[in-house]
Amino acid sequence: TYEGAWENDHATGYGVTTFKDHQWLIRYEGDHVDGHAHGQGKSVFHDGRVYEGGVQNDHLSGRGVMNFPDGKLYDGMWANDT
């Protein structure tokens, strides 16, 4: 489900998407452009990871921090989810 800004029949602007049946993602909160996560946001994953930072066309991209359930974190640059 999506709650937030809507323009031209697409999520555009700030919003929150909650996923019931997504393969790996539970929730995305942040910027959207034309129905895609794009800009700055926070992603919460099924395995307990939490990412905060840049997102481009639904992929982790740019500067961001991934917090892992074991307490470790990665703070750096991302491109296409890696």
Side-chain angles (χ1 to χ4, degrees), residues 18-75:
T18 305
F19 303 92
K20 283 187 172 185
D21 298 321
H22 196 276
Q23 184 175 354
W24 45 269
L25 193 59
I26 295 173
R27 175 184 169 101
Y28 171 76
E29 177 178 341
D31 300 325
H32 294 77
V33 175
D34 293 330
H36 298 279
H38 193 91
Q40 293 293 308
K42 178 179 179 179
S43 298
V44 179
F45 298 87
H46 285 290
D47 63 5
R49 293 175 296 146
V50 178
Y51 171 83
E52 293 188 65
V55 182
Q56 186 174 20
N57 294 321
D58 298 326
H59 295 281
L60 310 182
S61 186
R63 183 141 191 91
V65 177
M66 179 73 78
N67 288 286
F68 296 89
D70 64 2
K72 295 180 182 176
L73 67 85
Y74 171 78
D75 181 352

